Amino acid sequence: MRTPLSQRDKRLLVVTAMLAAAAVAAGGVVYATHPAGRSDAGCVVVNLPSTMGGAEVRNCGAAAHTFCRVQGKVDKTVAAACSRQGFAADLR
């Protein structure tokens, strides 16, 4: 047989539910106002096979030019990613 909740217990449950709802709402606001992920403008991002499966290789600016000049000549996946980002001149 269950005993009915006291007035104090009911208030505690209501306050706990309100705090949980406020925490969820605050989390939603933080998520909604959080800036988007990193920009890949001016960067060459390629997924390449590695010994442990795959690896994302990301190079930006001068490092992207060097990466395309060196790796773009030997790997077609890298060459395609370089061309998409406008580094086609580095492939020659």
Side-chain angles (χ1 to χ4, degrees):
M1 184 169 146
R2 294 184 177 169
T3 59
L5 293 174
S6 68
Q7 195 66 19
R8 179 178 179 268
D9 291 338
K10 289 178 185 177
R11 260 185 269 144
L12 181 64
L13 285 174
V14 169
V15 168
T16 302
M18 288 173 55
L19 287 173
V24 168
V29 168
V30 169
Y31 178 77
T33 59
H34 190 270
R38 66 181 180 216
S39 170
D40 287 334
C43 299
V44 175
V45 181
V46 185
N47 288 315
L48 297 174
S50 74
T51 56
M52 295 299 289
E56 181 180 89
V57 178
R58 185 172 196 271
N59 291 289
C60 300
H65 286 284
T66 304
F67 178 71
C68 288
R69 190 171 52 251
V70 174
Q71 294 297 320
K73 293 177 182 175
V74 278
D75 191 316
K76 291 181 182 182
T77 305
V78 173
C82 291
S83 292
R84 279 193 303 273
Q85 289 297 328
F87 294 111
D90 293 335
L91 298 174
R92 295 182 200 139

